[in-house]
Amino acid sequence: MTRRTPTAVDHYDALSAVVRMVRSGRARTRPELGAASLLGRTVISQRVEQAIELGLLEDAETGPSSGGRAPRQLRFNAGRGLVLSAVLGAAALDVAVTDLDARVLEHRHLEWPIARGPEETLTALDAEFTGLLETRRDTPLWAITLGVPGPVEFSTGRPSQPPIMPGWDGFDIRGRLQGRHRAPVWVDNDANLLALGEARASGAGADEMIFVKVGTGIGAGLVSEGRVHRGSKGAAGDIGHARVLEDNSVMCRCGRTGCLEALAGGWALARDAVTAVHEGRSRYLAEIHGAHGEITPADIGRGVTVGDAWCLTAVARAAERVGSLMATLVNFYNPAHLVFGGGVLTVGDAFLRVVDHTVRSRSLPLAATDLVIRGSALGDLGGVAGGAHLAVEALLSADAMAAWTPLGSPSAVDPDRLTAGA
Ligand SMILES: [Zn+2]
């Protein structure tokens, strides 16, 4: 990001604060902005007028009066721009267009194996993006975000040695998408986006959160003081490959042994299920294996709901493994909310019950008091919502606003100026 001249600092800091507070709902009137920000009345009045001229805020209906003339309510104009937000999974692609409040306006779900590699995948993504914008040419495109199922070097938007994304290591996703669509691009780990989407949907009480995605693989996103904590290289939260078994008997798909997901991830349960069929331990699984030649994590989820004993035990044991590691992380991180998402939620509350018991019985009383352990409220679209929040919040930062507000829209600025130093 280009450095601002010192005299411009106060101006854009105040403009950014005013817009972000109205957008997040922390302040809805000029007096509330004054109380929440400690900015003077004149500054607030001028920055609100500027935000209205930029089309970011609008005067809405009159608010409740506390005696005297009621202050006018301000509203964030979420229709001022669009965000294209996509999340890539191991076998599927979710593509959406959202408004600036991260509300999904249209969404498409494609079966898509990530192993097809970056060229083919990003070409398919380009076509979906173009289709979603077709009927919305009048609204400027503000940003593009992509979530991927692996570690990402956040500053460059490049995947970093992702174990299940062959061909993607170091690929310049940002450069490729920015070249095609002329909008700033952010790339992040999918669990980080799920965590951010969930935190924004849950209110300030969830500003300290661990979000754990348990599906085919296992990953986590951390939110601290309302912001995603990525760590120095973007590797924070990669708990799926934490070593939880000391002997070398269980091989992981990352090439090491004893990883959490090699014992408790969906793919590991599917592997164990095939062994169970060969040992004659589940008629339910034997029938599926006979009919389809394979067993998927979703089959095991259905096994839990129909009461298959092997599936129930396998899921409970996986939940205990996950819960055991989470107890340590709860002690270490002290979140207010521990949220679970991903395919595991399809098994009903069987998984969450065991996790809840394991975490509470093994973590320190102070860390476990008032800890909320729950399933995600957003489900499958939490990642695309999180991506949209990530981009819009970045574009409403003081530095980004200093770069684009003189030109009227982020779409008028060289995208590299908005994402550099991300
Ligand atoms: Zn591993």
Side-chain angles (χ1 to χ4, degrees):
M1 198 83 61
T2 29
R3 287 199 75 83
R4 291 173 283 139
T5 54
T7 52
V9 170
D10 288 344
H11 180 102
Y12 288 108
D13 283 341
L15 179 63
S16 168
V18 162
V19 174
R20 283 184 295 122
M21 279 191 289
V22 175
R23 178 178 180 268
S24 68
R26 274 171 54 212
R28 296 189 194 281
T29 63
R30 290 163 179 82
E32 283 178 17
L33 282 167
S37 69
L38 302 176
L39 294 169
R41 256 170 78 176
T42 313
V43 172
I44 286 175
S45 162
Q46 288 169 349
R47 295 297 80 82
V48 166
E49 284 318 306
Q50 191 187 359
I52 289 173
E53 276 164 32
L54 286 163
L56 295 174
L57 298 184
E58 48 198 19
D59 270 313
E61 68 278 20
T62 308
S65 171
S66 52
R69 199 159 61 93
R72 273 173 301 165
Q73 294 257 345
L74 292 163
R75 190 166 52 201
F76 178 67
N77 181 10
R80 181 73 181 79
L82 297 171
V83 178
L84 289 169
S85 186
V87 176
L88 194 52
L93 184 54
D94 281 294
V95 192
V97 59
T98 79
D99 68 10
L100 301 183
D101 273 335
R103 261 190 302 268
V104 173
L105 304 173
E106 193 179 340
H107 163 242
R108 296 174 183 182
H109 178 88
L110 283 79
E111 300 299 317
W112 185 272
I114 201 168
R116 287 199 186 166
E119 284 298 342
E120 216 184 314
T121 301
L122 295 174
T123 300
L125 192 58
D126 283 337
E128 294 301 326
F129 281 163
T130 305
L132 286 171
L133 289 180
E134 225 150 51
T135 57
R136 300 182 170 87
R137 291 284 169 211
D138 296 341
T139 313
L141 175 62
W142 270 37
I144 294 175
T145 63
L146 179 62
V148 300
V152 174
E153 189 181 60
F154 186 68
S155 60
T156 61
R158 293 170 190 259
S160 175
Q161 302 181 18
I164 61 160
M165 298 171 64
W168 289 82
D169 184 24
F171 192 89
D172 184 12
I173 298 173
R174 169 178 291 154
R176 162 69 197 268
L177 289 173
Q178 276 182 188
R180 205 58 62 91
H181 298 278
R182 202 189 150 75
V185 173
W186 281 272
V187 184
D188 204 347
N189 172 262
D190 58 352
N192 287 345
L193 298 184
L194 285 164
L196 184 62
E198 190 74 27
R200 290 298 176 269
S202 309
D207 275 357
E208 304 293 332
M209 175 189 290
I210 302 180
F211 187 103
V212 188
K213 183 187 174 195
V214 183
T216 303
I218 298 175
L222 311 178
V223 175
S224 173
E225 296 182 346
R227 284 197 293 269
V228 175
H229 172 84
R230 296 186 178 81
S232 78
K233 290 286 180 196
D238 200 358
I239 60 168
H241 303 282
R243 190 177 163 102
V244 295
L245 194 67
E246 274 313 315
D247 67 59
N248 294 332
S249 59
V250 183
M251 195 71 197
C252 183
R253 55 185 181 171
C254 73
R256 291 186 293 269
T257 57
C259 298
L260 177 65
E261 74 165 53
L263 295 154
W267 67 265
L269 267 54
R271 170 203 63 204
D272 294 346
V274 174
T275 309
V277 167
H278 293 317
E279 292 172 356
R281 287 194 273 147
S282 163
R283 237 179 51 210
Y284 163 79
L285 292 172
E287 276 169 22
I288 289 168
H289 194 255
H292 304 286
E294 61 167 4
I295 293 168
T296 66
D299 294 326
I300 295 167
R302 275 188 292 277
V304 171
T305 52
V306 302
D308 176 76
W310 187 91
C311 293
L312 280 164
T313 307
V315 167
R317 201 182 302 142
E320 201 180 338
R321 297 246 190 227
V322 172
S324 174
L325 180 60
M326 293 322 297
T328 306
L329 296 179
V330 162
N331 287 342
F332 179 74
Y333 197 72
N334 190 200
H337 286 229
L338 174 57
V339 184
F340 289 85
V344 75
L345 295 187
T346 61
V347 307
D349 62 353
F351 180 88
L352 280 176
R353 264 202 328 266
V354 177
V355 166
D356 188 286
H357 173 77
T358 310
V359 170
R360 290 191 196 285
S361 62
R362 296 187 195 184
S363 49
L364 299 169
L366 183 58
T369 306
D370 298 333
L371 172 66
V372 176
I373 301 177
R374 62 176 172 89
S376 162
L378 291 181
D380 289 348
L381 289 179
V384 297
H389 281 297
L390 172 71
V392 173
E393 288 169 17
L395 291 171
L396 295 179
S397 71
D399 281 320
M401 290 187 93
W404 70 259
T405 53
L407 297 162
S409 165
S411 55
V413 184
D414 175 2
D416 284 331
R417 282 185 67 198
L418 298 170
T419 55

